Amino acid sequence: MGVDFRTEGKVGLSLYSIEAGYVARIKITPLGYGRVIYVNHPNGVTSVYAHCTKFEKSIQAIVKLYQEKNQLNEIDLVFEPQQIPVTKGQLIAYSGNSGNSFGPHLHFELRDTKTENALHPLVHGINIVDQQAPVPSKLYIYAIDQNGYYINDKKIAFPVIKKGTEYTVATNKIIIPPAFMEGTDKLLIGIEGSDKIGADLSTCGLFENLLIVANDTVFHSRIDTVSFSHDRLINDYCDYHEYKTNNKKIHKLIHKTHNHLDVYKSDPLKIINLKGHDSIPINIQLLDAKKNKSTIKFDLVSRSTLGKIVVDSKPSGLYLIPDSAYYFEDFGNSITLNALSLFEPVKKDVIITKDKIQLGKASTPIFEGAKVTMTPIENTPITKQYIYLAGDKDQKEALKTQLINGKLEAVISSLGTFKVGSDFTPPSVSPSNFVAGDTSLKKSSIEWKVSDAKTNISSYNLFINGKWKVLEYDKKNKLLIHVFEPSEKGIINFKLQVKDACGNEALWTKKIRVN
């Protein structure tokens, strides 16, 4: 959604507003962007500065006052234009490592203020030196049907090599094995590669892709703007299975009918069609935001007569089809899929028992509008129960679970096996930057290690001498942190309350001298 700027492995570097405007929003969360500040500008663009360690002094004071007044550690504040005006180059925050950041850096975005769509920063005014054309590394060929759906997950990888100023494959040809085309005459090409930018040649992804088949442009994508409401559709734009299992970022050069990502610039379902005993010239063009271009040329060759073409490779009698809605129920448990929840057809192997709902794999992504509803465990308080996803590799992921009409309900973002668990164990809380026996501290902050074995930490509150105080939850490092104020000296009574998603509470109390 934006670009990451290195901060030399440090936190606390000054961040300045790129233009005049006003602070429109401030959000603090242990997830996502952590501490993030949004500045609206008169030209209709919003600049976003994420993973901050803190905000500028006067802005920080406003935030802290709100937190203390409402006893909220996590906030999402919206401001009017006159409340916090800023000038171009004004200090607004300090860089950090908060939220889902795995190393100090600034994540920077530009957004359309009206739609909140992310705008590609290198297209909208951020000028970074870029004289390197994109570098393709591999091509992938997939067998697909007339709807663009995979056939039997068939896929072949081909390394890309450079010859002169252009790229190609070995022998300049890709010869399709006869068995690969069983039941179809249609192919999909995927491309893997990267783009180097800046003086230190930092790595970015592919920006603009064109597929030209025998002089006909059948596919064109350009990632210049993306709607946050559509971000899960990227799981269909890419080869999601390869991304989840091997961390490969493969761009699929096809626009499927139901995928309305803004990145598509060509009509849906323009597909490569083989006729058998033919050779089709393929031209793939990769462009970056500075219009540096790489070209891949080769012939796609079919030396065999194609067999019988299966018109409907995924019949609705055997598969769940993406454009249909489904509801399955048994033993009081149910799973609901709205139309277009699925990206690909899924075998209609639904298993619902008293104890579980099983459909597909946890590595099968879905778009939206899907949920599971499950009967609570008997003789167990319903408030202590939750739905979890049993993953493909024995991991268990607790889902955000609601209690609705005496049932447990959770929105799901993938398929898999869903079960009900119970949690009676309070979170674990222990000192981190001090030891339990300490009676005196000489530190700028106090930290606790926190975790919950089954669900998630849902709330955390600190009281110092009976007064509520601001806490930071560093979820990735499982830390709760309070930075001491100048007035917080001498003998202090600490009371820390931590609750998990099932309401189990851990209470930590201690009297310590703070020097």
Side-chain angles (χ1 to χ4, degrees), residues 28-74:
I28 298 176
T29 170
L31 305 171
Y33 291 171
R35 285 189 183 83
V36 54
I37 184 168
Y38 302 72
V39 180
N40 285 3
H41 306 288
N43 64 350
V45 172
T46 298
S47 56
V48 183
Y49 313 75
H51 306 307
C52 301
T53 188
K54 61 181 179 180
F55 305 113
E56 181 273 332
K57 182 171 59 176
S58 63
I59 299 173
Q60 185 75 23
I62 294 171
V63 171
K64 183 181 176 185
L65 182 65
Y66 180 88
Q67 288 178 296
E68 291 180 340
K69 181 180 178 181
N70 296 278
Q71 295 193 0
L72 291 172
N73 291 301
E74 300 174 25

Side-chain angles (χ1 to χ4, degrees), residues 293-342:
K293 182 170 71 172
S294 293
T295 301
I296 312 166
K297 291 183 179 180
F298 60 94
D299 291 331
L300 199 57
V301 179
S302 172
R303 291 178 174 170
S304 306
T305 301
L306 297 179
K308 182 180 179 181
I309 307 303
V310 178
V311 176
D312 190 359
S313 68
K314 304 289 176 68
S316 59
L318 299 176
Y319 288 84
L320 307 182
I321 308 302
D323 59 5
S324 298
Y326 297 94
Y327 177 79
F328 301 98
E329 181 181 9
D330 209 349
F331 296 97
N333 298 329
S334 66
I335 182 168
T336 303
L337 299 172
N338 287 353
L340 306 184
S341 288
L342 297 172

Side-chain angles (χ1 to χ4, degrees), residues 139-188:
L139 287 172
Y140 297 81
I141 304 293
Y142 306 76
I144 58 172
D145 65 13
Q146 74 279 3
N147 297 306
Y149 301 143
Y150 298 132
I151 293 182
N152 299 326
D153 296 322
K154 291 181 179 178
K155 174 170 54 184
I156 309 175
F158 299 88
V160 175
I161 57 177
K162 191 169 186 179
K163 288 187 178 180
T165 59
E166 295 182 339
Y167 292 87
T168 186
V169 294
T171 73
N172 302 319
K173 296 178 182 179
I174 290 180
I175 300 173
I176 306 300
F180 190 78
M181 299 305 299
E182 184 177 346
T184 187
D185 58 352
K186 296 172 174 59
L187 291 176
L188 159 66

